Every structure is written in C-alpha cells, then in structure tokens.
Amino acid sequence: MIKVLFVCLGNICRSPLAEGIFIDLVVKNQLTEQIQVDSAGTGGWHVGDKPDPRSQKVAHDNGIELTSRARKLQQTDFDEFDYIIGMDRTNVRNINDLVNNSSKSYKTKVHMMREFEQKTGRVRDVEDPYYGGDYGFEEAFRILKHCNQNFLDFLIKEHNL
Ligand code: 4NP
C-alpha cells in the first residue's frame, strides 16, 4: 500500500480539497487497493472541523464530496506515510521542522504539490485561499486537479501500478 498525506496549514481548505480530488482519481483508476490517501494540517486550530464550506462547494460543483475532518500533523505520520505533500513553502518548512535532526529518509518523503506541475524554474506555492473570495478556491481546485493527475501518473510509473 502506498500512503499519501496532503498537508496545509489549517487542514480545512487546500489539503482536504487535494485529498478529495486525489481519492476521486484513485477510485476512477481502480487503485484503491494500492493507494491510501489522507490529509493533515501543521496547525491545530481547526482539529475535528469539516472542510471550509468554500472548499466543499468547489468540490461539489465538480462532482466530489469532501468527507474529511481536520487533524494535526504528527511525528508518527512520517513513519506511516510514503509521500507527504505540502501546499506551500511555509508548510514544507513546518513539516520538516517536525522531524528536524531526524533521519534523511523522512525528508525525502516531503514534497511540494506544484513540483508535479512539471514547469521549469522555481516551484510555486498553492496559495492559501482562506482569507480571500471564491475565486481563490476555484484556482486552488484547478491547480490541485492538474498536479494530482501528474502525481498519480508519477506513482503509476514509479511503483508499476
Ligand atoms: P488551509 O487554509 O491551510 O488551506 O486549510 C487555512 C485555514 C485556516 C487558517 C489558515 C489557513 N487559519 O488561520 O485558521
């Protein structure tokens, strides 16, 4: 089983959306026996909460229902998961801080979502839409969908799925 964890700050906007989109792709590709998906936040303010209604809406409008509840990233996640995907560089810094001084194998698990956009140059952030309007959520959906498709293609190749 390949275990994938999407991580943002609050675990109510971007990472639940990434999780929902990725689960949808995994189901459509009949890979539920091979790939397991979860999400978490580096901050704990929203633990137990449903995804932000704006994330739920943009997902629903695209045929996806979000069912996750927010939880905080914990150290054991680094043993449990094979791929830990942060949404922006602050997430990635916070993720890596949790395992500071720990084994190098942990850090190789950590990626940034837009690495899978496969554009040249600096990897961009999936910007935090929390304080903005609906457009930011639509933009996040579009980026996450594109990156997740590429990420799944990568997993299929890498693990001969
Ligand atoms: P997310 O967005 O990291 O995409 O879930 C945020 C949600 C809540 C907060 C910040 C970002 N907050 O400060 O409560």
Side-chain angles (χ1 to χ4, degrees), residues 5 40-41 71-81 84 94-103 106 109:
L5 182 67
R71 73 170 181 88
K72 194 165 187 258
L73 180 69
Q74 50 196 17
Q75 266 193 337
T76 51
D77 288 324
F78 288 83
D79 291 316
E80 170 100 12
F81 289 90
I84 299 175
N94 291 335
I95 293 165
N96 282 327
D97 282 350
L98 251 188
V99 286
N100 218 354
N101 303 320
S102 295
S103 91
Y106 284 156
K109 294 183 176 186

Side-chain angles (χ1 to χ4, degrees), residues 7-16 40-43 45-46 52 54-55 87-88 91 126-131 137:
V7 178
C8 61
L9 176 59
N11 193 208
I12 54 167
C13 297
R14 291 165 292 175
S15 61
T42 59
W45 312 283
H46 294 280
D52 186 286
R54 296 166 294 178
S55 280
M87 296 295 136
D88 62 36
N91 298 152
V126 181
E127 284 178 19
D128 189 346
Y130 185 64
Y131 293 104
F137 285 80

